[in-house]
Amino acid sequence: MAHSRALQLVKLLQPCIQKKLLLSGKAVHAQALTSGLSFDTFLSNRLVELYSRCDLFDYAFNAFYSIPNPNVFSWNAILSSTAKAASFELAFQLFEQMPERNVVSWNTMISALARRGQEEKAVELYHGMVQQGLIPSHFTFASVLSAFSSLMDLSEGRKCHGLAVKVGLDFNLFVENALLAMYTKCESLVDAVKLFEDIPDPNEVSFTALMGGLVQSGLAEEALRLFTRMHRCGISVDQISVSSVLGACAKFHGAVLNPDEISSYYAYGQVIHALVLRHGFESELHVGNSLIDMYAKHGNMDNADLIFKMMPEINVVSWNVMISGYGQNGDANKAIEMWQLMQQSHFEADEVTYISLLSSCVKSGDTETATQFFYKMNSPSVASWNALLSVYSQNEGHKEGIELFRKMQFLNAEPNRTTFAIVLGSCSATGLLEYGKQLHASSVRYMLHEDMFVSSGLVDMYSKCGHIDAARRVFDGMCERDVVSWNSMIAAFSRHSLNKECFSFFKLMREDHMSPTESSYASLANCCARLSSLPQGRQIHAQILKDGYDADVYVGSSLIDMYTKCGFIVEARRFFDSMPTKNIVSWNEMIHGYAQNGYGEEAIVLFEYMLRSKEKPDVVTFIGVLTACSHCGFVDEGIKFFDSMKNEHGIEPLADHYTCILDALGRAGRLSEAKLLLDRMPCNDDPIVWEVVLASCVVHGDISLGTRAAEELFRIDPNNSAPYVLLANMYASKGRWFDASAVRKLMSERRVVKDRGYSWINQKGDIRVFMVDDCLESVNCDGGKSNCDAHLDDIVAS
């Protein structure tokens, strides 16, 4: 009779538990007390569950402790209640006190720990459960696989997969989805795709998990195709799947895509927006944020702003996406305005907000505002430090960046690989070798010196500071290399005119199964240009065409330089005209090519065409144009272009520009004008300027100005042999033999030695370099040995 009454009360409690009807549940509890049934174990277990569901944990404990003989279900009920209250210490005590544990007991603890971010403890309990011979359930696998995902422990996740197969749960959809999530988060996309294809009936969770993995891996197009497949299979879409596919539509940002491909992503995003409206998801916060992000990444800030204003609810993420969107689209002022509105709306900015603002300042080059935002952060993370370091680096504030890194170390903020790469880049740009060495030592202390990212930065730093041997030692000591590492070393050899080593490393790189990139080919083309080796340059050009890098603007500019340095100006112009996109470097190379090869008129015509095409010239452009005017005797045109630099283009002339004008005036014999220019130019300590003036004086016999130029050169560079030789020759040409002899005597007393000239020839695909004194020796030994053999036949094999 009592047992029957207890069952009736349990039935009355069931809806109270499901719907959290606390008052009704208490009424049932009161009936149990008045009926003398409060000691019934089954009924008491349900009361523990009721109070736990209603978050009355004290009541739950009272109900548990009133049970005279609690069974394993009683213990599981109070354990679940304790774990739900996040009282882990008490939960562990209860777990240890349990006289008997079943799979539910272990699952409760493993699940609670995994949910609360204590993944390592969850995994430890899982291993303990397996060791005790208990067979995990699908709930066990779901919890522990979630822990492995958070820990990025692919190896243990695979072992767990194996156990799931062994116990026959590998085709349980709950377990399959957990495995899918684990593989995608551990970036094992091959395993994830294989698993997905083996699922007999994937649901929306399966599709969404794989879509998320594809987006995370940058495979946006594949993610869109999967969403289309999901829709065609009749799988109902939800807010999470829609957010994932919107992420795919925005994931193109930063990828190398043509305008048509970008337009297709945008069109797909608009279709998803229509789907959102049809299903009524537009009021869902996460979906709204994804829509804003998608439109912002495509540069449509008007639509992004409209969605933002129409959202019934917004959070900090919404503000951050808007701020980031304006920053990415180059509108730093609007990003700052959004931050101000965010504060006025009583939303507290987080670190993501400030990093977005810092990124906006990077785009606009506003270092001062970026610094102000950085110092508003209470405890900036390494990502924030890196963002400000990037602002300094990209705006050539290298010294400020290095000082910031010192402050970072003083405040014990631990740098990461990105930090070292940025600061090493600053050392490379400023030639700070000693500080670069300190960074190298610091990277060893932080165990980051073997990281490919950092090692490539070290190679670049040492090579740009002139220590190619140190760069090579760093490269040789790398445990693992990627294409960036190889390119850093190849560029280092090219930069230091070690052409043979550059070609040799290119060959080794390909033997290491690394595919060359734009940087690789640009370095090789520069070597060919330096050697004036047309046959080798054409082989490199052929390989560039084969690999599809001929459309790259930097590779193209290097090829133009190579052809012009080899004297093949027609081929250079033909390639220049075929380039789909050109930048200032491309224009400069072609103009300089014309100038250096005596095509002054063509250089001027191309320069004027450049101005009509709205390409803005820089200091290098004017060096090319003025050189062309100088070499071809267009003195008045050169003066006109020189004057236009500051008046029309806002470019302050440098020593090189003055040198070109002085050379043009000197070649034309207009030395009186050259004297006037010398008296008013700001760069009087540049030796090239005075060498040009002295050479002109030798040609035209101006002793007075020539002597002045020589004296300036003796002061600036006393060990340079050129002024001694030129001045002596000028005196000799005027019959002033005593003065000429005095100059040569002075040269001897100062132990100044005239530099030897050298030449190079191309012989059967080899570049042979020899000095003036090598001629007889070469004849005596049947041509001599090559000083620079660059065999390319086996390097650029098709």
Side-chain angles (χ1 to χ4, degrees):
M1 184 70 180
H3 180 66
S4 175
R5 178 60 178 158
L7 287 174
Q8 289 177 353
L9 293 177
V10 167
K11 287 181 180 180
L12 291 173
L13 273 176
Q14 192 61 35
C16 300
I17 294 170
Q18 291 175 347
K19 299 179 181 180
K20 297 184 181 180
L21 303 174
L22 180 60
L23 290 177
S24 300
K26 282 185 174 181
V28 176
H29 191 179
Q31 289 184 41
L33 290 170
T34 56
S35 305
L37 296 173
S38 59
F39 298 114
D40 184 87
T41 302
F42 185 54
L43 178 59
S44 296
N45 289 349
R46 304 304 286 165
L47 287 169
V48 171
E49 189 177 351
L50 166 72
Y51 290 126
S52 176
R53 288 268 295 167
C54 295
D55 296 332
L56 294 173
F57 303 109
D58 291 338
Y59 282 61
F61 269 93
N62 288 334
F64 172 74
Y65 286 122
S66 68
I67 304 173
N69 296 304
N71 58 18
V72 69
F73 301 104
S74 314
W75 283 97
N76 283 342
I78 195 60
L79 186 64
S80 176
S81 177
T82 311
K84 184 181 177 184
S87 303
F88 289 119
E89 290 185 9
L90 181 57
F92 267 112
Q93 289 177 12
L94 288 170
F95 186 73
E96 293 295 330
Q97 292 171 11
M98 289 180 71
E100 180 188 357
R101 301 184 194 125
N102 61 8
V103 173
V104 175
S105 319
W106 291 90
N107 284 350
T108 300
M109 292 302 298
I110 294 168
S111 174
L113 291 167
R115 282 198 315 270
R116 300 287 177 172
Q118 299 189 40
E119 292 87 0
E120 292 180 356
K121 288 185 177 179
V123 170
E124 187 181 333
L125 274 182
Y126 163 74
H127 288 310
M129 172 185 176
V130 174
Q131 287 171 4
Q132 290 197 11
L134 292 172
I135 298 175
S137 68
H138 59 288
F139 289 112
T140 319
F141 284 120
S143 299
V144 78
L145 285 167
S146 172
F148 289 135
S149 299
S150 301
L151 295 171
M152 297 289 287
D153 195 339
L154 180 61
S155 175
E156 287 296 321
R158 282 181 171 146
K159 290 178 184 177
C160 192
H161 189 176
L163 183 59
V165 172
K166 184 178 179 180
V167 300
L169 287 172
D170 52 318
F171 285 107
N172 179 286
L173 189 56
F174 199 56
V175 176
E176 286 174 320
N177 287 340
L179 284 166
L180 201 55
M182 184 273 296
Y183 282 126
T184 55
K185 287 180 182 176
C186 291
E187 299 179 359
S188 181
L189 209 55
V190 174
D191 289 320
V193 171
K194 186 176 184 305
L195 177 68
F196 179 84
E197 296 300 338
D198 288 339
I199 298 176
D201 297 305
N203 60 6
E204 65 275 11
V205 177
S206 318
F207 277 95
T208 303
L210 185 55
M211 264 194 296
L214 291 168
V215 173
Q216 181 183 331
S217 299
L219 300 171
E221 189 175 347
E222 288 77 358
L224 296 180
R225 280 202 291 264
L226 187 66
F227 183 80
T228 304
R229 175 180 166 185
M230 173 183 177
H231 201 256
R232 286 175 178 169
C233 290
I235 307 293
S236 61
V237 298
D238 57 10
Q239 295 96 325
I240 298 173
S241 58
V242 165
S243 296
S244 292
V245 77
L246 284 170
C249 295
K251 196 68 176 181
F252 83 94
H253 196 70
V256 181
L257 298 176
N258 62 49
D260 291 338
E261 289 174 311
I262 293 173
S263 297
S264 67
Y265 279 109
Y266 183 61
Y268 205 109
Q270 290 180 306
V271 170
I272 300 301
H273 190 177
L275 193 66
V276 165
L277 295 173
R278 194 176 82 184
H279 286 275
F281 294 152
E282 67 274 11
S283 59
E284 207 278 326
L285 182 60
H286 190 59
V287 173
N289 289 341
S290 298
L291 279 169
I292 294 172
D293 183 55
M294 187 273 295
Y295 280 115
K297 291 281 172 59
H298 283 277
N300 191 339
M301 290 307 299
D302 291 337
N303 275 11
D305 186 58
L306 183 64
I307 294 166
F308 177 79
K309 289 175 179 176
M310 292 179 64
M311 287 172 66
E313 178 190 359
I314 57 174
N315 61 3
V316 174
V317 175
S318 315
W319 289 101
N320 288 349
V321 173
M322 286 296 294
I323 291 168
S324 175
Y326 281 118
Q328 288 167 355
N329 287 282
D331 195 343
N333 292 331
K334 191 67 178 177
I336 294 169
E337 184 184 322
M338 288 298 294
W339 170 71
Q340 292 168 341
L341 284 171
M342 179 182 183
Q343 289 186 309
Q344 293 169 13
S345 303
H346 307 292
F347 282 89
E348 187 174 349
D350 60 11
E351 188 174 15
V352 176
T353 315
Y354 287 114
I355 290 177
S356 297
L357 288 165
L358 287 172
S359 299
S360 302
C361 296
V362 170
K363 287 267 187 182
S364 63
D366 191 347
T367 308
E368 184 179 347
T369 305
T371 307
Q372 291 173 4
F373 280 124
F374 179 79
Y375 286 113
K376 288 180 183 292
M377 302 170 71
N378 294 324
S379 54
S381 70
V382 66
S384 304
W385 286 97
N386 290 345
L388 186 57
L389 285 168
S390 295
V391 175
Y392 286 128
S393 177
Q394 294 186 29
N395 291 285
E396 298 186 1
H398 300 297
K399 290 183 179 178
E400 293 88 344
I402 290 169
E403 286 301 317
L404 182 68
F405 179 72
R406 284 175 173 158
K407 185 171 185 178
M408 181 181 181
Q409 289 182 302
F410 180 75
L411 295 173
N412 295 320
E414 187 170 321
N416 62 10
R417 61 200 291 251
T418 305
T419 318
F420 278 105
I422 295 169
V423 184
L424 281 168
S426 294
C427 291
S428 301
T430 52
L432 291 175
L433 175 64
E434 291 306 314
Y435 195 73
K437 287 179 177 179
Q438 293 176 34
L439 281 171
H440 192 173
S442 185
S443 70
V444 173
R445 183 161 68 90
Y446 286 107
M447 301 298 291
L448 289 169
H449 60 294
E450 292 184 347
D451 180 89
M452 283 192 299
F453 203 44
V454 177
S455 295
S456 296
L458 287 167
V459 169
D460 186 61
M461 184 274 297
Y462 280 122
S463 68
K464 286 183 178 174
C465 292
H467 281 242
I468 193 71
D469 291 337
R472 177 67 187 270
R473 284 195 297 272
V474 172
F475 180 85
D476 289 342
M478 293 175 69
C479 301
E480 187 181 358
R481 303 184 187 105
D482 62 359
V483 70
V484 176
S485 316
W486 283 98
N487 283 345
S488 296
M489 202 65 228
I490 290 170
F493 286 131
S494 176
R495 193 179 298 118
H496 289 275
S497 301
L498 297 169
N499 305 305
K500 180 179 178 181
E501 289 82 353
C502 183
F503 290 128
S504 176
F505 254 66
F506 180 74
K507 180 181 178 181
L508 289 172
M509 173 185 173
R510 297 192 64 179
E511 288 174 353
D512 199 35
H513 306 294
M514 290 286 174
S515 297
T517 65
E518 300 93 327
S519 175
S520 320
Y521 285 122
S523 297
L524 286 175
N526 288 335
C527 286
C528 295
R530 199 173 292 112
L531 294 168
S532 298
S533 174
L534 183 64
Q536 294 167 344
R538 280 178 169 161
Q539 289 183 55
I540 293 296
H541 191 176
Q543 192 65 33
I544 288 169
L545 290 169
K546 181 182 176 184
D547 288 349
Y549 289 121
D550 53 308
D552 180 81
V553 67
Y554 295 104
V555 175
S557 300
S558 299
L559 285 171
I560 293 169
D561 182 48
M562 184 273 295
Y563 279 120
T564 57
K565 291 276 176 64
C566 293
F568 280 72
I569 199 74
V570 175
E571 291 192 40
R573 181 58 190 264
R574 188 184 299 123
F575 184 78
F576 174 82
D577 291 337
S578 70
M579 291 176 70
T581 56
K582 302 177 182 70
N583 64 2
I584 187 63
V585 178
S586 319
W587 288 95
N588 288 348
E589 292 292 0
M590 197 63 240
I591 291 169
H592 273 257
Y594 276 134
Q596 295 296 339
N597 285 276
Y599 294 87
E601 191 172 348
E602 287 82 352
I604 293 170
V605 169
L606 184 62
F607 172 68
E608 291 173 342
Y609 176 62
M610 172 186 171
L611 295 179
R612 290 195 301 273
S613 66
K614 307 302 181 183
E615 183 73 48
K616 189 176 180 181
D618 62 6
V619 291
V620 180
T621 316
F622 280 101
I623 292 172
V625 174
L626 295 176
T627 300
C629 294
S630 171
H631 287 186
C632 296
F634 301 146
V635 184
D636 293 328
E637 288 86 345
I639 293 171
K640 183 188 72 172
F641 289 134
F642 181 80
D643 291 337
S644 73
M645 285 181 65
K646 191 171 183 179
N647 298 335
E648 297 178 20
H649 303 285
I651 299 173
E652 195 70 38
L654 304 176
D656 289 336
H657 303 105
Y658 283 101
T659 301
C660 292
I661 287 297
L662 287 167
D663 185 46
L665 291 169
R667 286 170 185 257
R670 295 161 62 169
L671 295 178
S672 58
E673 294 175 63
K675 289 177 186 177
L676 294 173
L677 185 61
L678 282 168
D679 292 335
R680 64 184 175 87
M681 74 177 189
C683 41
N684 286 316
D685 287 333
D686 190 283
I688 305 298
V689 171
W690 293 107
E691 280 190 20
V692 166
V693 172
L694 180 55
S696 299
C697 292
V698 171
V699 172
H700 297 286
D702 191 328
I703 297 289
S704 173
L705 182 58
T707 303
R708 176 189 170 189
E711 288 173 349
E712 290 287 348
L713 284 166
F714 294 157
R715 175 182 64 83
I716 297 167
D717 189 6
N719 294 318
N720 183 3
S721 62
Y724 296 94
V725 175
L726 289 172
L727 184 60
N729 290 344
M730 183 170 61
Y731 284 140
S733 68
K734 292 294 184 180
R736 296 172 58 170
W737 304 109
F738 179 79
D739 291 332
S741 178
V743 172
R744 292 191 178 276
K745 183 180 178 182
L746 179 64
M747 182 178 177
S748 178
E749 288 172 354
R750 292 181 176 178
R751 296 181 179 179
V752 177
V753 180
K754 185 180 177 182
D755 296 330
R756 290 192 301 166
Y758 69 92
S759 302
W760 62 87
I761 60 171
N762 189 308
Q763 184 182 31
K764 296 181 179 179
D766 291 345
I767 301 298
R768 298 184 179 273
V769 180
F770 55 90
M771 294 291 188
V772 173
D773 293 343
D774 293 339
C775 293
L776 291 175
E777 181 184 346
S778 298
V779 171
N780 292 335
C781 61
D782 297 325
K785 293 183 178 179
S786 169
N787 290 322
C788 181
D789 295 331
H791 300 281
L792 283 184
D793 292 337
D794 56 340
I795 293 175
V796 275
S798 58

